[in-house]
Amino acid sequence: AQSVTQPDIHITVSEGASLELRCNYSYGATPYLFWYVQSPGQGLQLLLKYFSGDTLVQGIKGFEAEFKRSQSSFNLRKPSVHWSDAAEYFCAVGADGNKLVFGAGTILRVKS
Amino acid sequence: GAVVSQHPSWVICKSGTSVKIECRSLDFQATTMFWYRQFPKQSLMLMATSNEGSKATYEQGVEKDKFLINHASLTLSTLTVTSAHPEDSSFYICSPIDGGHNEQFFGPGTRLTVL
């Protein structure tokens, strides 16, 4: 069965610092991988996705993620965090028929 | 981006009552609808999948007679929690698929608290 692990429940970074959110997945076939952001009162917003091809994926808001098959990872990165990036971030793997299996989420706090 | 609305955004009800949650896709037709549930400090868990005009398919462990899903039109799906109990208190999120573009969107969620 598919599963997603986000090892960090909370992460705090200073504004302007770099960010990396970890995601590991378990999936038998070639995975479809996603990163979503959830702000209070808002629906999940897609940051980026990987289906195939270039393993470094660029997303919105300056985020990128790298698919590493050997490590079963799909870590999210941003070179310089802004205060508005504070939110909860979910990694997900696409199972059959658009079904998504989500990780537990990582809450990002940004300190000024 | 596409707009998905959920109503109500939050609801408090007494144990034993039923609650209906509406999910609307405002600018696209949702051929498929997923309903997720998110308990505090946990991830989203898929409850069921429905296609317009057909019966929903429920994930293992989700009671179909308790969580009634209606997907009667391409812009509206409803989830009714029947005879709600405190353990049903959760955050319910709909996720429609834009059939024309094969894109998935998420509603803002409905916070259900059962007393």
Side-chain angles (χ1 to χ4, degrees):
Chain A
Q2 304 87 2
S3 67
V4 177
T5 302
Q6 292 180 246
D8 304 303
I9 298 174
H10 296 99
I11 280 187
T12 300
V13 298
S14 298
E15 192 169 14
S18 63
L19 169 71
E20 183 169 33
L21 302 182
R22 295 183 291 166
C23 171
N24 293 95
Y25 67 89
S26 172
Y27 188 61
T30 301
Y32 293 169
L33 295 161
F34 305 80
W35 273 101
Y36 286 89
V37 60
Q38 184 181 39
S39 298
Q42 307 280 327
L44 288 168
Q45 181 182 21
L46 179 66
L47 288 175
L48 47 77
K49 60 187 175 185
Y50 170 80
F51 284 179
S52 64
D54 193 346
T55 55
L56 184 62
V57 182
Q58 301 298 319
I60 62 171
K61 304 184 179 185
F63 286 93
E64 66 177 26
E66 187 171 12
F67 169 57
K68 293 185 178 180
R69 185 187 298 275
S70 61
Q71 298 177 20
S72 297
S73 69
F74 189 57
N75 294 348
L76 182 71
R77 300 193 294 249
K78 185 168 184 178
S80 177
V81 169
H82 189 261
W83 63 267
S84 60
D85 293 324
E88 188 161 17
Y89 292 79
F90 291 94
C91 180
V93 63
D96 57 291
N98 286 101
K99 294 181 182 181
L100 295 178
V101 175
F102 286 87
T106 298
I107 296 172
L108 172 65
R109 298 191 180 109
V110 180
K111 58 182 182 179
S112 55
Chain B
V3 179
V4 180
S5 70
Q6 278 186 241
H7 178 80
S9 55
W10 60 270
V11 56
I12 301 172
C13 69
K14 292 182 179 179
S15 185
T17 61
S18 295
V19 174
K20 180 185 283 189
I21 301 170
E22 292 186 349
C23 176
R24 295 181 185 273
S25 54
L26 301 181
D27 53 1
F28 65 93
Q29 294 185 327
T31 50
T32 300
M33 182 71 73
F34 297 103
W35 283 95
Y36 288 87
R37 178 168 55 183
Q38 185 181 22
F39 291 108
K41 300 187 179 181
Q42 295 186 31
S43 183
L44 286 78
M45 299 297 292
L46 181 63
M47 299 175 66
T49 306
S50 72
N51 294 300
E52 184 260 340
S54 10
K55 288 184 179 180
T57 303
Y58 291 80
E59 297 298 303
Q60 191 172 9
V62 179
E63 300 173 56
K64 62 180 175 66
D65 294 329
K66 181 170 182 65
F67 298 99
L68 303 179
I69 291 172
N70 185 293
H71 192 174
S73 81
L74 289 172
T75 59
L76 173 64
S77 176
T78 61
L79 167 67
T80 302
V81 183
T82 62
S83 187
H85 290 279
E87 57 266 29
D88 299 324
S89 298
S90 187
F91 194 55
Y92 292 87
I93 301 171
C94 66
S95 178
I97 303 291
D98 177 351
H101 300 90
N102 196 29
E103 286 189 64
Q104 184 169 9
F105 301 96
F106 289 84
T110 297
R111 173 78 58 196
L112 170 64
T113 302
V114 185
L115 303 177

